[in-house]
């Protein structure tokens, strides 16, 4: 299949392009499109055949439900069987934006879209191109992240091209994603809302609007809760993992830096190519101390600006595959706002291999 790639101005997307893309989706075809979190692979959420195409293009297990993207509140009423008052408040505070809410579904949502569950995940994205596309596509777009299953979510059109070129008819290129991590998922089918996947909308922001909020036990400490399955099916799968083994080094900053330097030295001695994920300030240190070993050092940004770290993380994981490193060591990023979301992705990519410095 030939894949048409069309550039869009994220702040003022061309309506004609969105209309054409929307028509493709109405016809049951797939279009990859930018959102403020990551790129999505969109199909008509009310068409079971489109859902099947999505699973097959991604190579994704079909029991992993898709998020339905909407553009106006009325759309929610026709796909959610019950909309609790807390969800209305959350929508008021965070929609359109990087928040996905889980509801009991109506019969309008085919079980191909909901992965066989009786619930549906719904998000109203903020990105102008995404909102326009949803409108022209008829109001309901099912979209997982537009990566091949198991790879990091795409934060640029280049990532989508890498994974899906030739498998879908159209990719809309809206530049780099603003947030770079997938939306926060909150389950509103429980008495007290439960966070199933951490994201830009963090627990403090949710508590401010909702009062008590819980964390899915499968999330809290994947190591300690080995037996607890995360409630979001997609959180159970191996994800994001680069080809080389990745280790996250935790501890006090100075100790982490010196531990990574010694680990990198040990690995490089027999000729291994080492990758390092660092903050902006320590990247320079590694370059100095490990000069001559040709490590691949990726500076994600400063811990004070954790949005930069979030934006760069998935791209960095993809870059290590291209650089063909043999082992990767990463600093940890327990920052106040995005730390939980960043560490959730990073630890998953590392298969929870943690070294304490
Ligand atoms: O930011 C995002 O959410 C992006 C953009 C494109 O909107 N989408 C995204 O979709 O990350 P995906 O399919 O990669 O991740 C959706 C997650 C999966 O872990 C899935 O299992 C979970 O949401 N999920 C979907 N429907 C669910 C449901 N009814 N109950 C529990 N988890 C659900
Ligand atoms: Mg995904």
């Amino acid at each position: 299949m030939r894949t048409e790639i069309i550039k869009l101005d994220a702040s003022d997307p061309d309506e004609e392009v969105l209309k054409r893309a929307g028509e493709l989706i109405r016809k049951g075809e797939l279009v990859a499109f930018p959102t403020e979190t990551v790129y999505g692979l969109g199909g008509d959420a009310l068409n079971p055949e489109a859902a099947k195409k999505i699973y097959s293009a991604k190579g994704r297990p079909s029991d992993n439900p898709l998020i339905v993207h909407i553009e106006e509140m009325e759309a929610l009423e026709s796909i959610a069987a019950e909309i609790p008052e807390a969800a209305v408040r959350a929508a008021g505070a965070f929609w359109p934006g990087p928040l996905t809410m889980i509801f009991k579904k109506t019969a309008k949502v085919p079980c191909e879209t909901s992965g066989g569950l009786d619930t549906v995940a719904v998000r109203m994205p903020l990105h102008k191109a995404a909102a326009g596309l949803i409108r022209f596509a008829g109001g309901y777009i099912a979209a997982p992240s537009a990566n091949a299953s198991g790879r990091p979510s795409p934060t640029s059109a280049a990532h989508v091209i890498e994974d899906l070129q030739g498998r879908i008819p159209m990719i809309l290129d809206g530049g780099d994603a603003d947030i770079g991590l997938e939306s926060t998922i909150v389950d509103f089918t429980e008495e007290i809302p439960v966070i199933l996947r951490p994201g830009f909308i963090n627990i403090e922001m949710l508590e401010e609007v909702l009062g008590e909020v819980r964390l899915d036990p499968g999330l809290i400490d994947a190591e300690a809760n080995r037996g607890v399955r995360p409630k979001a099916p997609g959180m159970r799968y191996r994800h994001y993992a680069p080809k080389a083994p990745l280790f996250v080094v935790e501890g006090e900053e100075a100790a982490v830096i010196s531990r990574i330097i010694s680990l990198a030295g040990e690995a490089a001695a027999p000729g291994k190519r080492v990758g390092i994920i660092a903050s902006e300030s320590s990247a320079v240190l590694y370059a100095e101390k490990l000069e001559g070993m040709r490590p691949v050092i990726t500076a994600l940004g400063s811990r004070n600006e954790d949005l930069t770290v979030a934006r760069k993380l998935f791209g960095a994981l993809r870059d290590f595959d291209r650089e063909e490193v043999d082992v990767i060591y990463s600093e940890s990023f327990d920052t106040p706002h995005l730390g939980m979301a960043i560490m959730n992705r990073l630890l998953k990519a590392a298969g929870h291999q943690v070294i304490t410095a």
Side-chain angles (χ1 to χ4, degrees):
M1 182 187 295
R2 194 182 149 278
T3 304
E4 193 180 356
I5 299 160
I6 308 176
K7 274 210 184 342
L8 276 179
D9 179 350
S11 57
D12 183 22
D14 184 340
E15 292 244 317
E16 285 310 309
V17 170
L18 296 180
K19 200 181 233 169
R20 205 147 65 73
E23 270 154 23
L24 270 177
I25 290 181
R26 281 176 192 267
K27 280 196 296 193
E29 281 304 331
L30 307 185
V31 174
F33 63 99
T35 84
E36 67 277 19
T37 56
V38 300
Y39 275 71
L41 174 59
D44 181 352
L46 308 183
N47 176 350
E49 295 309 313
K52 286 183 195 158
K53 275 190 190 166
I54 291 176
Y55 291 118
S56 119
K58 276 181 65 96
R60 170 175 177 145
S62 58
D63 62 348
N64 189 4
L66 307 173
I67 296 176
V68 179
H69 296 67
I70 59 172
E71 179 260 329
E72 50 175 27
M73 274 312 265
E74 290 77 64
L76 178 64
E77 284 152 30
S78 72
I79 55 175
E82 288 162 42
I83 306 173
E85 194 263 335
V88 176
R89 261 183 289 140
F94 305 116
W95 274 6
L99 175 70
T100 295
M101 299 198 250
I102 311 276
F103 302 96
K104 287 258 173 284
K105 78 172 190 73
T106 65
K108 188 165 174 165
V109 182
C111 54
E112 283 80 359
T113 298
S114 71
L117 298 178
D118 61 355
T119 53
V120 62
V122 189
R123 174 159 110 83
M124 188 189 288
L126 176 64
H127 198 289
K128 279 190 180 153
L133 180 64
I134 296 165
R135 188 164 4 100
F136 286 121
Y140 306 88
I141 293 186
S145 48
N147 52 285
S149 188
R151 299 212 76 203
S153 297
T155 54
S156 72
H159 297 161
V160 182
I161 293 167
E162 207 169 81
D163 285 11
L164 297 178
Q165 187 163 39
R167 306 179 70 91
I168 56 174
M170 188 183 279
I171 297 172
L172 300 179
D173 178 355
D176 289 344
D178 277 346
I179 296 175
L181 299 177
E182 309 88 343
S183 61
T184 307
I185 303 181
V186 180
D187 185 354
F188 283 90
T189 66
E190 309 268 349
E191 196 68 40
I192 295 162
V194 186
I195 299 177
L196 304 187
R197 178 172 75 183
F200 181 85
I201 309 293
N202 66 16
I203 188 161
E204 287 79 18
M205 293 160 79
L206 288 164
E207 280 169 341
E208 207 164 288
V209 175
L210 302 173
E212 193 186 354
V213 174
R214 293 208 174 126
L215 280 173
D216 181 11
L219 260 187
I220 295 172
D221 184 347
E223 283 294 289
N225 288 290
R226 234 180 252 286
V228 183
R229 282 158 67 86
K231 192 169 175 192
M235 301 287 281
R236 290 173 203 147
Y237 298 110
R238 184 167 172 269
H239 222 252
Y240 312 129
K243 289 185 196 128
L246 164 63
F247 297 88
V248 176
V249 184
E250 286 186 336
E252 193 247 314
E253 195 175 343
V256 166
I257 294 173
S258 65
R259 188 64 179 273
I260 290 182
I261 290 171
S262 73
L263 286 165
E266 282 161 31
K272 281 189 184 169
R273 187 135 203 251
V274 177
I276 297 176
I277 300 177
S279 67
E280 206 150 70
S281 49
S282 49
V284 197
L285 275 172
Y286 296 121
E288 247 174 54
K289 297 276 184 193
L290 299 170
E291 209 195 331
M293 294 178 191
R294 298 190 314 119
V296 180
I297 303 166
T298 300
L300 293 185
S302 137
R303 284 198 177 73
N304 301 326
E305 289 161 39
D306 54 4
L307 187 53
T308 324
V309 175
R311 267 183 203 146
K312 284 195 188 161
L313 178 63
F314 287 151
L317 292 174
R318 280 174 180 264
D319 288 346
F320 285 120
D321 284 349
R322 207 168 310 117
E323 296 276 356
E324 302 191 329
V325 299
D326 299 301
V327 61
I328 306 163
Y329 299 106
S330 176
E331 294 182 357
S332 51
F333 293 87
D334 289 307
T335 54
H337 179 189
L338 285 168
M340 186 185 246
I342 293 169
M343 290 311 290
N344 171 265
R345 302 337 186 256
L346 193 54
L347 287 169
K348 211 174 239 206
H352 294 275
Q353 303 185 97
V354 176
I355 294 168
T356 307

